Amino acid sequence: MAKIMSRISIGASVAMWDPDFTCGLAGQWSVDKGVYDAPHREPGGSILRLVAEDIEEEEWLFWRTAEELKTLIARQDGSGLAVPS
């Protein structure tokens, strides 16, 4: 479901705004499960430390360039999204 929603949001953002890039944050579990297939990712995009509650969370930063976004939605093999120009 996350992959479907991700592709829909990418298609909508490219169609509406033609961004230079998109980025997002995701937890370690999503990296472990391969939920997001972004070509660029780095750990430490966001670090939450709540000492009193003994909570420490680190999220990954994911991003795609404009060219990668357009290639993703313009695939002709049916695996991408068809967004009218």
Side-chain angles (χ1 to χ4, degrees):
M1 187 63 148
K3 286 185 181 186
I4 293 169
M5 295 305 294
S6 174
R7 294 251 174 126
I8 290 170
S9 67
I10 288 170
S13 68
V14 169
M16 293 172 66
W17 301 296
D18 192 26
D20 293 329
F21 64 91
T22 59
C23 62
L25 295 169
Q28 180 65 48
W29 68 269
S30 63
V31 175
D32 295 341
K33 292 183 180 236
V35 173
Y36 301 104
D37 60 350
H40 309 287
R41 58 180 172 236
E42 292 289 330
S46 173
I47 300 173
L48 170 68
R49 289 191 181 99
L50 301 174
V51 177
E53 291 85 0
D54 195 31
I55 296 174
E56 186 169 333
E57 292 286 329
E58 179 178 327
E59 295 198 337
W60 285 61
L61 174 66
F62 290 81
W63 71 94
R64 287 184 192 274
T65 65
E67 189 62 36
E68 291 163 345
L69 292 167
K70 290 174 185 172
T71 300
L72 179 68
I73 62 173
R75 289 184 184 162
Q76 298 300 314
D77 63 1
S79 65
L81 296 173
V83 176
S85 50

